[in-house]
């Protein structure tokens, strides 16, 4: 995608990767709309970042997606980039169903149904724009599993194949599908992750992503160096060693 001159909606950008990406894209000359559930964060982001627009949205709620889409498109009819960023990650113990079923359902609603409903709400509009992009957000864990987070890994594998499939189906339109594949990054996604020595600093991650978007405008996947260990394990032939190393290093791995 072009790195400048876009109008970008990022549902799931009140913190972490989404907020850092919103600020970086704003600095590159894009109009950016930040979305999320937490009203107080949205108000603070608007106050502290002149030029960032905000909209409240719960991406697990179809009515909220419809209302936010209407609001965003009424105010920004030139919207040409959608980044379905909202996601949750939970540690699950599948020995005990009462401990994981609620979490698994919430993960599917947020990480899988959310992007599907968001893309459905915007895809007709995006096809009217001469140059449009849907930047999906998967994970290195779509390609090698962390033992502690089965539903999360599966949700991100679903996003990978959704992205691959939509790229084929929308090839006859102006809409490009680009998949962002983050490695572990220091955000509040899991408790303790902001201090994790295994996770990449947020600023370094987003500046590498921005540089890749800028230097590889035709890329179908945005892969920072740190994610290639997971992303290409199977193709390299060292998948089993990678899975073993990933889980041996994981502080949640039991
Ligand atoms: N950090 C990593 O290591 C990593 C690695 C690979 C992939 N990712 C992916 O990157 C994305 C961003 O995660 P992050 O690491 O930046 O974590 P984060 O700081 O916890 O951010 C998650 C964002 O999603 C929003 N969100 C969650 N549920 C939502 C809902 N139902 N409706 C609307 N917004 C919702 C949150 O906003 P509100 O709470 O205000 O709604 C927040 O802005 C996720 O899809 C995650 O899976 C992260």
């Amino acid at each position: 995608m072009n790195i400048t001159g876009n109008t970008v909606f990022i549902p799931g950008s009140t913190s972490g990767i989404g907020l850092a990406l919103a600020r970086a894209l704003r600095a590159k000359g894009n109009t950016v709309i930040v979305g999320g559930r937490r009203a107080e964060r949205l108000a603070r982001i608007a106050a502290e970042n002149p030029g960032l627009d905000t909209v409240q949205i719960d991406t697990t709620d179809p009515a909220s997606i419809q209302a936010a889409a209407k609001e965003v498109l009424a105010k920004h009819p030139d919207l040409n980039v959608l980044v379905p960023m909202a996601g949750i990650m939970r540690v699950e113990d599948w020995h005990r169903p009462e401990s994981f079923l609620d979490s698994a359902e919430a993960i599917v609603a947020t990480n899988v149904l959310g992007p599907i409903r968001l893309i459905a709400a915007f895809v007709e509009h995006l096809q009217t724009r001469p140059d449009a992009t849907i930047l999906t957000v998967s994970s290195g864990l779509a390609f090698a599993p962390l033992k502690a987070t089965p539903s999360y890994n599966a949700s991100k594998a679903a996003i990978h194949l959704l992205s691959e499939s939509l790229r084929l189906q929308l090839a006859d339109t102006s809409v490009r599908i680009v998949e962002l594949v983050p490695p572990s990054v220091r955000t509040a996604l899991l408790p303790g992750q902001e201090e994790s020595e295994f996770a990449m600093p947020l600023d370094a991650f987003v500046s590498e992503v921005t540089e890749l978007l800028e230097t590889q405008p035709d890329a179908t996947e945005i892969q920072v160096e740190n994610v290639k260990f997971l992303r290409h394990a199977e193709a390299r032939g060292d998948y089993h060693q990678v899975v073993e190393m990933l889980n041996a290093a994981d502080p949640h791995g039991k």
Side-chain angles (χ1 to χ4, degrees):
M1 62 179 261
N2 279 333
I3 188 77
T4 194
N6 302 293
T7 302
V8 186
F9 178 36
I10 315 181
S13 54
T14 53
S15 61
I17 295 173
L19 181 56
L21 185 65
R23 288 188 175 127
L25 290 175
R26 174 71 194 145
K28 289 282 177 190
N30 299 281
T31 299
V32 183
I33 305 108
V34 166
R37 292 164 301 181
R38 288 171 286 179
E40 74 291 354
R41 278 204 176 237
L42 292 167
R44 188 165 8 118
I45 289 165
E48 290 173 359
N49 300 271
L52 284 185
D53 198 1
T54 59
V55 65
Q56 193 165 22
I57 180 170
D58 179 347
T59 64
T60 62
D61 176 359
S64 175
I65 289 178
Q66 287 306 324
K70 203 170 161 195
E71 185 181 336
V72 167
L73 292 177
K75 204 163 165 195
H76 301 280
D78 50 355
L79 183 98
N80 70 324
V81 180
L82 172 70
V83 187
M85 176 70 71
I88 58 170
M89 182 177 192
R90 307 251 171 89
V91 171
E92 298 167 342
D93 178 358
W94 278 58
H95 299 93
R96 297 183 300 113
E98 74 281 4
S99 75
F100 74 79
L101 208 48
D102 285 353
S103 139
E105 289 176 4
I107 287 168
V108 173
T110 310
N111 298 10
V112 183
L113 277 176
I116 286 173
R117 289 179 175 136
L118 280 164
I119 293 168
F122 284 93
V123 73
E124 282 177 314
H125 167 81
L126 292 173
Q127 288 175 80
T128 68
R129 307 306 304 153
D131 183 13
T133 301
I134 299 171
L135 179 63
T136 58
V137 184
S138 67
S139 167
L141 299 180
F143 302 93
L146 193 63
K147 186 169 66 174
T149 58
S151 300
Y152 179 82
N153 307 334
S155 75
K156 292 302 182 176
I159 293 301
H160 172 62
L161 270 182
L162 181 72
S163 309
E164 292 276 304
S165 313
L166 294 184
R167 190 174 302 120
L168 294 174
Q169 206 176 105
L170 298 176
D172 58 353
T173 73
S174 59
V175 184
R176 291 187 233 174
I177 309 292
V178 183
E179 179 183 345
L180 174 62
V181 192
S184 185
V185 178
R186 286 183 202 155
T187 69
L189 190 61
L190 272 184
Q193 192 163 325
E194 279 167 305
E195 295 83 38
S196 168
E197 60 179 299
F198 301 110
M200 190 173 178
L202 180 58
D203 288 352
F205 171 69
V206 169
S207 70
E208 198 175 332
V209 167
T210 312
E211 191 182 328
L212 289 170
L213 288 170
E214 200 155 24
T215 55
Q216 301 178 10
D218 296 323
T220 53
E221 277 187 38
I222 300 299
Q223 303 169 8
V224 299
E225 283 304 315
N226 278 12
V227 86
K228 292 181 179 172
F229 168 71
L230 299 176
R231 172 65 184 88
H232 301 295
E234 188 146 8
R236 276 193 314 265
D238 59 6
Y239 177 82
H240 294 292
Q241 294 94 305
V242 166
V243 171
E244 201 175 313
M245 283 175 68
L246 172 70
N247 286 288
D250 173 35
H252 305 96
K254 278 258 172 315

